Amino acid sequence: MFPRLSLLHVWFKSAYFQRLKALTPEENTRSQHGLFFQDGQRRVDYVLTYSVKKSSGSHSTRQSVGGEKLRAKQTQRTKDSSSVHSSTVIDMELGCSGEIFNSQEDQKAFRREEFEGKLRDMGLELEKDEDGKIPGVYFVKIHAPWNVLCREAEFMKLKMPTKKSNSIVEKISTLISKILEPLHPHVEEHQPKNVKHLSHTFSREKQHLICMNICIYAFLAGITSLLGSGVYTAAYPLHDVSSIFVRLLYEEWANYSVFYKYQPIGLVRKYFGEKIGLYFAWLGLYTQMLIPASLVGVIVFLYGCATVDDNIPSMEICHPRNNITMCPLCDRVCSYWKLSTACGTARASHLFDNPATVFFSIFMALWAAMFMEHWKRRQMRLNYEWDLTGFEDEEVSNNTTDHPRAEYEFKVMQKSLRKRQKSQDKIEKLTFQDRLPAYMTNIVMMLLMIGVTFAIVFGVILYRISTKAALHMSSSLITRNHVQLTVKTTAAIINLVVILILDEVYGAVARWLTVLEAPKTDKSFEERLIFKTFILKFVNAFAPIIYIAFFRGRLVGRPGSYLYVFDSYRMEECAHGGCLMELCIQLSITMLGKQLIQNNLFEIGIPKLKKLIRYIRSKQGAFQEEERQKKLTRYETDHFLEPFGGLTPEYMEMIIQFGFVTLFVASFPLAPLFALLNNIIEIRLDAKKFVTELRRPVAARAKDIGIWYNILRGVAKVAVIINAFVISFTSDFIPRMVYQYMYSPDGSMHGFVNHTLSSFNVSHFQDGKEPMDPSHFGYPVVICRYKDYREPPWSNTPYELSKEFWAVLAVRLAFVIVFQNVVMLMNDIVDWLIPDIPKDISLQIHKEKILLVELFMKEEQGKSYIIDSSTSTDGKENCSKHNNNSKVAPPRSRRHTNSTKSF
């Protein structure tokens, strides 16, 4: 059994069939640069590359002789297929028995020859270039003739535009288009139009109605296994740098100077395919939706800045007469401290912890719901404009959705060989028992990787505890005064570095686990890979933040009875302003660091570095770059570009960013603004990467963004719950409300700071835990204060949790329940009010179905009338010549019947 060559349904609509036109002299010149075959007529649609190690003699002689040997062996194998010895070598991928190769290079040459023969049998035309300018690299150029394109377009039931149908554009839409005219790229497709092409499934019988705008379409499911085994080193379509598409994409899309303009999504789709077009459409909409979120976030932040001087709790902490003595923050080396020294932290916390934060959390939850609904409508509109409304049904009818992967078939074949002696039944699939070891390995490895993440977070906790104690022992006054800031910042940077490293590790682990699992189809493989990668990277990115938000300062204990790790490390406390400020620092450093370093620096630097390495390995380093570009053909130039690795990394970084924007937005209202600024650059950076840094991707059809939409919805739902807990437990919003309405004597916030502090008698310190300098302020301290709701030492139940603690806890839990239910109800109302399909699109689809039927019926009636007339004329002549020969059913009825069935 040879490598199965089922067509990968790859197609992109480009310019209107330049290959059918006579080439201009300028195009004949371009054929010398690799865009055409040597005859200057046939366009290069796809390129395969391979390398051959030379041992002796010229490569061409060796390959020719090797090919003859391999063909002779193939003939001999066919003759001797009946006698198979136990010592026979079996190639699992080729399925060839009795095949013994002299060397690995001979085996690869044999497989290439068979593969290319199958391509020729499919009707594709091939031309080899073994005299290129890159030593050791050889090229196979592939051309798809027009008749093959038509055949496969009909097989794929590809929808193409037919005749024009006029539709009236509303005056409001026209007015808005004119207002937004400066924001649109200078591409014809974005100019206001009131003409829509009707679309119908491609048929060679109806070519007279079809606009000829299919370009490349069909390639190579079996090429994946051949690339993996080294038979070919690369496979890619060419960048048509002479095309107006590329020029427009570079000028109006992959250009930082047009950052304020809309993207030419239609042009992106035509050149790169629907799947990539949908990604950039989604990214563009997400960036647009960040604009109102950023404005509201800035307003909330400015509100905090404007009211910081009127915040009573901050004023009480910063008051110069405030002589509240606080208990030490660590054992022995830390001394007592005055609450007024936390003035700066308290004022900074108010910038993010104020009443507007609650409003902003509710707004962002509704924003996420609006974004999801807006995208569904945008996606449906693109499906209509790109003729993808029935794409899934067409995939099912063409059997392209459940096509088995080569790796899956390989494992099925292995299982069949192992059980062939036990049973003669044919094994067609892997059972749950076959997959059980892989499933168990997946579960164990996923838990292990998550455990590694938590272990690293715990290690950073120990770093903070030990570093804080060490800095308090410093002889420098400046160092001792900035202990908290130093520890927080350095710990956040360490977390960022660890996150960046583990992101790369977890990506590789997720792919290895998915390969081990051996999903049946490419779609299943992609979805499982995305799910595993998302879980690992999500936990990696948010584990330190979750610890600070919900655990730090709550597992501490109290003076005289602190909680210790390894009997020596005392768990760290939050500053008096609360952990919200520390959460904001960690969130901002992680978010900005990932965006600047991982998303932008790595995306620019790594492709260029890999390109440089490939260039050096090609032994062309002696040439200057400009001279090299002049000498190389197009397909040789593209060989140095970075291979396209899929959209998973692009989506993943945006989904993680979406988590930063929504999950902890209550603690960092400026997150949408930073995300907006990053995405403005990210769109143009990705565009430039696709146009100039990456090989042209093999286009793929898609009608949605797949599993990413479900992940977005899940993150949006979790964000409501997390923000409810952040407001309730991390911020001081609930304690302030409880004090103001239950304990304040005058209904104001005066006295709130003293209300939240408990008292401790310093004589109750454990032995060896008291400060080394008890007279730090020049007088002995008897009572120190700490932030908690506990009974004083002089009560009947000293240091027990007070009734105020239980009152605050009850209100916090009630707030979480009410907040999440009210917000989710509002989200459901938004979902119900906004229809998924725009009304004008729904009406237009219904109208076009009717118009299509009428159009084709008129065409069939016209052809039937012509056939009927010619048949009657021929009948009269036949009657006069042959005297009533036997009657033959008129061809009209058969043709009319067939055309009726096709509808």
Side-chain angles (χ1 to χ4, degrees):
M1 182 178 68
F2 300 106
R4 185 172 35 75
L5 282 176
S6 61
L7 291 175
L8 177 66
H9 296 298
V10 172
W11 62 285
F12 27 89
K13 299 174 186 175
S14 186
Y16 293 101
F17 278 117
Q18 298 174 357
R19 68 177 64 172
L20 297 180
K21 301 178 181 178
L23 294 177
T24 63
E26 187 178 322
E27 288 174 319
N28 279 315
T29 301
R30 287 202 306 267
S31 69
Q32 303 302 321
H33 297 284
L35 293 176
F36 293 86
F37 278 20
Q38 290 298 323
D39 57 15
Q41 300 294 324
R42 292 171 293 173
R43 178 176 290 271
V44 177
D45 294 326
Y46 210 77
V47 173
L48 304 176
T49 69
Y50 62 93
S51 59
V52 176
K53 297 180 181 178
K54 298 182 181 181
S55 59
S56 62
S58 67
H59 164 71
S60 58
T61 304
R62 174 182 172 85
Q63 187 179 26
S64 176
V65 175
E68 293 296 332
K69 289 182 179 180
L70 294 170
R71 281 190 289 272
K73 289 180 179 180
Q74 182 181 8
T75 305
Q76 184 65 28
R77 176 178 53 82
T78 305
K79 294 179 180 179
D80 299 338
S81 59
S82 59
S83 58
V84 181
H85 300 85
S86 60
S87 62
T88 300
V89 178
I90 298 176
D91 187 336
M92 295 301 298
E93 290 192 18
L94 291 177
C96 304
S97 60
E99 189 63 66
I100 303 176
F101 294 97
N102 294 330
S103 68
Q104 187 178 7
E105 291 300 321
D106 289 341
Q107 182 180 4
K108 292 180 179 179
F110 172 72
R111 296 179 66 184
R112 278 195 297 270
E113 187 175 346
E114 283 191 312
F115 185 76
E116 292 164 9
K118 286 292 183 180
L119 294 183
R120 292 187 178 92
D121 293 342
M122 291 163 51
L124 302 177
E125 298 174 1
L126 279 64
E127 182 179 83
K128 289 190 176 183
D129 182 2
E130 298 181 348
D131 298 319
K133 299 179 181 62
I134 305 177
V137 179
Y138 306 92
F139 298 88
V140 179
K141 296 175 283 186
I142 303 174
H143 168 78
W146 168 244
N147 63 322
V148 180
L149 289 170
C150 293
R151 181 190 71 202
E152 294 305 321
E154 187 172 8
F155 171 74
M156 295 164 60
K157 297 184 178 178
L158 190 64
K159 288 187 175 181
M160 299 302 298
T162 59
K163 292 190 174 178
K164 297 178 181 179
S165 169
N166 292 328
S167 59
I168 301 174
V169 180
E170 297 180 358
K171 294 182 179 179
I172 297 179
S173 300
T174 305
L175 179 61
I176 294 176
S177 299
K178 290 182 178 179
I179 294 175
L180 299 178
E181 182 72 23
L183 300 181
H184 286 290
H186 298 296
V187 180
E188 288 187 4
E189 63 181 62
H190 283 282
Q191 303 304 322
K193 296 179 181 178
N194 44 358
V195 174
K196 171 71 171 66
H197 287 267
L198 296 179
S199 299
H200 188 264
T201 301
F202 183 89
S203 174
R204 280 175 286 182
E205 295 182 357
K206 300 180 177 64
Q207 286 186 63
H208 58 285
L209 295 173
I210 304 297
C211 294
M212 296 181 298
N213 65 340
I214 308 170
C215 196
I216 305 174
Y217 74 95
F219 268 115
L220 312 172
I223 192 62
T224 304
S225 60
L226 297 178
L227 287 171
S229 59
V231 176
Y232 290 101
T233 58
Y236 51 90
L238 296 182
H239 277 293
D240 190 358
V241 292
S242 62
S243 170
I244 189 174
F245 279 2
V246 177
R247 182 179 62 80
L248 289 175
L249 286 174
Y250 189 82
E251 294 177 355
E252 300 295 333
W253 185 49
N255 192 339
Y256 293 107
S257 63
V258 294
F259 70 92
Y260 60 92
K261 291 187 177 182
Y262 292 106
Q263 300 179 83
I265 295 299
L267 202 62
V268 176
R269 169 250 182 173
K270 287 180 180 179
Y271 191 74
F272 292 110
E274 282 78 3
K275 195 169 186 177
I276 294 176
L278 281 173
Y279 163 71
F280 281 103
W282 174 84
L283 180 58
L285 179 65
Y286 170 49
T287 304
Q288 292 175 31
M289 291 292 291
L290 283 173
I291 295 176
S294 301
L295 291 176
V296 176
V298 171
I299 292 173
V300 170
F301 178 75
L302 294 177
Y303 170 82
C305 296
T307 59
V308 66
D309 292 332
D310 300 328
N311 183 40
I312 295 177
S314 298
M315 294 170 62
E316 290 183 347
I317 294 174
C318 297
H319 201 281
R321 295 183 180 180
N322 191 337
N323 292 320
I324 298 178
T325 302
M326 303 297 294
C327 296
L329 296 175
C330 62
D331 295 336
R332 300 295 291 167
V333 297
C334 296
S335 186
Y336 303 105
W337 58 285
K338 293 295 184 180
L339 181 61
S340 57
T341 59
C343 175
T345 304
R347 290 174 62 87
S349 297
H350 179 74
L351 302 180
F352 305 99
D353 186 8
N354 54 69
T357 302
V358 180
F359 159 76
F360 189 56
S361 299
I362 298 175
F363 170 82
M364 287 303 296
L366 295 178
W367 172 88
M370 291 287 292
F371 167 59
M372 303 303 293
E373 293 303 312
H374 196 177
W375 169 246
K376 283 194 291 186
R377 291 170 61 85
R378 172 67 169 157
Q379 186 173 259
M380 190 61 209
R381 188 174 295 276
L382 291 176
N383 285 339
Y384 167 71
E385 294 175 356
W386 296 352
D387 300 320
L388 296 172
T389 50
F391 172 60
E392 289 181 351
D393 296 334
E394 294 164 13
E395 275 195 319
V396 171
S397 63
N398 292 332
N399 295 320
T400 59
T401 56
D402 54 354
H403 188 71
R405 299 174 63 246
E407 291 82 356
Y408 177 84
E409 291 187 335
F410 177 72
K411 290 205 170 189
V412 171
M413 188 184 300
Q414 282 184 318
K415 181 181 176 182
S416 301
L417 292 174
R418 287 195 302 266
K419 296 187 176 181
R420 181 171 296 173
Q421 295 179 353
K422 299 180 181 179
S423 173
Q424 297 297 325
D425 296 337
K426 184 179 180 182
I427 299 176
E428 297 181 352
K429 64 178 181 179
L430 298 178
T431 62
F432 177 78
Q433 288 75 13
D434 299 325
R435 297 176 181 269
L436 185 59
Y439 288 153
M440 295 303 297
T441 304
N442 270 258
I443 294 173
V444 171
M445 287 299 297
M446 291 285 288
L447 293 177
L448 177 62
M449 293 297 102
I450 293 175
V452 168
T453 301
F454 288 142
I456 292 175
V457 171
F458 183 70
V460 175
I461 294 173
L462 296 182
Y463 162 80
R464 290 153 70 111
I465 295 172
S466 58
T467 304
K468 183 185 297 184
L471 292 178
H472 274 291
M473 297 174 63
S474 174
S475 59
S476 173
L477 180 62
I478 298 176
T479 302
R480 293 198 302 269
N481 290 339
H482 296 87
V483 169
Q484 294 289 340
L485 180 62
T486 304
V487 171
K488 293 173 188 177
T489 305
T490 56
I493 294 174
I494 291 174
N495 276 323
L496 172 63
V497 174
V498 171
I499 288 171
L500 295 178
I501 295 174
L502 288 184
D503 264 356
E504 302 301 320
V505 175
Y506 288 164
V509 170
R511 177 167 291 276
W512 173 69
L513 291 176
T514 309
V515 171
L516 188 67
E517 197 175 349
K520 183 177 181 180
T521 63
D522 286 328
K523 183 178 180 181
S524 177
F525 179 90
E526 184 181 19
E527 290 180 349
R528 296 186 186 197
L529 173 61
I530 289 171
F531 178 75
K532 292 180 181 66
T533 308
F534 171 74
I535 292 296
L536 293 176
K537 291 193 174 185
F538 182 86
V539 173
N540 182 40
F542 290 100
I545 298 172
I546 291 174
Y547 162 73
I548 295 175
F550 303 124
F551 296 99
R552 185 179 178 186
R554 288 167 179 80
L555 303 174
V556 177
R558 62 170 179 81
S561 181
Y562 283 114
L563 179 66
Y564 290 89
V565 180
F566 304 134
D567 294 329
S568 57
Y569 293 98
R570 177 177 137 188
M571 293 299 292
E572 52 186 348
E573 304 175 48
C574 292
H576 184 75
C579 284
L580 199 68
M581 189 62 196
E582 297 182 31
L583 177 62
C584 176
I585 293 174
Q586 178 68 58
L587 191 65
S588 60
I589 291 179
T590 304
M591 180 179 179
L592 295 177
K594 279 181 66 67
Q595 291 183 165
L596 294 177
I597 299 176
Q598 189 177 45
N599 298 355
N600 293 329
L601 184 61
F602 283 5
E603 285 191 14
I604 296 174
I606 290 181
K608 290 185 178 295
L609 180 61
K610 290 182 177 180
K611 181 179 178 181
L612 178 62
I613 292 174
R614 282 193 301 273
Y615 174 57
I616 295 174
R617 286 181 177 177
S618 68
K619 301 178 183 178
Q620 294 289 314
F623 290 95
Q624 295 295 327
E625 179 68 17
E626 185 177 353
E627 292 298 322
R628 183 179 69 86
Q629 292 294 343
K630 290 180 180 179
K631 293 177 179 294
L632 296 182
T633 59
R634 182 69 249 170
Y635 52 84
E636 290 173 326
T637 302
D638 284 6
H639 178 75
F640 288 105
L641 299 179
E642 175 72 9
F644 174 65
L647 290 171
T648 298
E650 312 298 335
Y651 274 114
M652 188 64 67
E653 65 183 67
M654 288 296 107
I655 297 297
I656 297 297
Q657 184 200 85
F658 183 77
F660 283 119
V661 169
T662 56
L663 290 177
F664 295 92
V665 72
S667 62
F668 191 39
L670 294 179
L673 175 63
F674 289 124
L676 173 63
L677 297 177
N678 174 81
N679 288 4
I680 291 175
I681 301 174
E682 180 74 19
I683 291 177
R684 307 303 165 179
L685 177 63
D686 283 349
K688 194 175 185 64
K689 181 173 67 176
F690 272 84
V691 175
T692 62
E693 298 293 337
L694 295 179
R695 292 174 187 165
R696 187 175 181 178
V698 175
R701 301 178 74 191
K703 67 178 299 182
D704 53 41
I705 61 175
I707 193 176
W708 296 111
Y709 181 80
N710 297 328
I711 293 177
L712 281 170
R713 288 187 65 88
V715 171
K717 296 291 184 184
V718 173
V720 176
I721 301 173
I722 287 184
N723 280 299
F725 276 95
V726 169
I727 295 171
S728 168
F729 287 90
T730 308
S731 74
D732 283 337
F733 175 76
I734 298 300
R736 288 197 299 264
M737 295 298 100
V738 171
Y739 175 78
Q740 184 174 4
Y741 294 107
M742 294 181 62
Y743 298 104
S744 176
D746 56 358
S748 67
M749 292 301 296
H750 289 285
F752 170 73
V753 174
N754 186 66
H755 177 76
T756 59
L757 297 177
S758 298
S759 300
F760 177 74
N761 191 329
V762 298
S763 63
H764 295 161
F765 271 122
Q766 295 174 322
D767 292 338
K769 305 296 182 182
E770 67 278 0
M772 291 188 297
D773 185 13
S775 302
H776 175 68
F777 296 115
Y779 57 87
V781 176
V782 179
I783 298 292
C784 65
R785 310 293 296 273
Y786 62 99
K787 188 174 183 180
D788 204 350
Y789 291 101
R790 291 183 180 270
E791 297 291 343
W794 52 82
S795 69
N796 296 328
T797 56
Y799 307 126
E800 294 294 325
L801 295 174
S802 64
K803 62 180 181 180
E804 287 86 355
F805 171 83
W806 299 108
V808 172
L809 179 62
V811 176
R812 279 173 164 167
L813 294 176
F815 176 83
V816 169
I817 295 173
V818 172
F819 181 89
Q820 70 178 26
N821 282 280
V822 169
V823 173
M824 287 186 176
L825 176 62
M826 296 172 69
N827 286 346
D828 292 338
I829 293 175
V830 170
D831 192 3
W832 177 71
L833 289 175
I834 302 176
D836 294 345
I837 304 177
K839 187 176 181 180
D840 61 325
I841 297 297
S842 179
L843 294 175
Q844 193 66 19
I845 291 174
H846 178 70
K847 182 191 297 184
E848 288 189 2
K849 287 181 178 178
I850 298 174
L851 291 175
L852 273 174
V853 173
E854 293 178 355
L855 175 63
F856 285 116
M857 289 301 294
K858 287 181 180 180
E859 294 292 337
E860 292 298 327
Q861 289 175 2
K863 288 189 288 184
S864 299
Y865 175 78
I866 296 173
I867 294 173
D868 207 5
S869 300
S870 62
T871 302
S872 61
T873 304
D874 293 341
K876 291 180 180 179
E877 295 177 355
N878 291 336
C879 286
S880 61
K881 291 182 180 179
H882 301 288
N883 296 322
N884 296 326
N885 287 338
S886 58
K887 295 181 179 178
V888 179
R892 170 188 174 275
S893 61
R894 291 197 303 270
R895 184 172 183 85
H896 183 73
T897 303
N898 292 337
S899 64
T900 305
K901 287 181 180 179
S902 66
F903 284 99

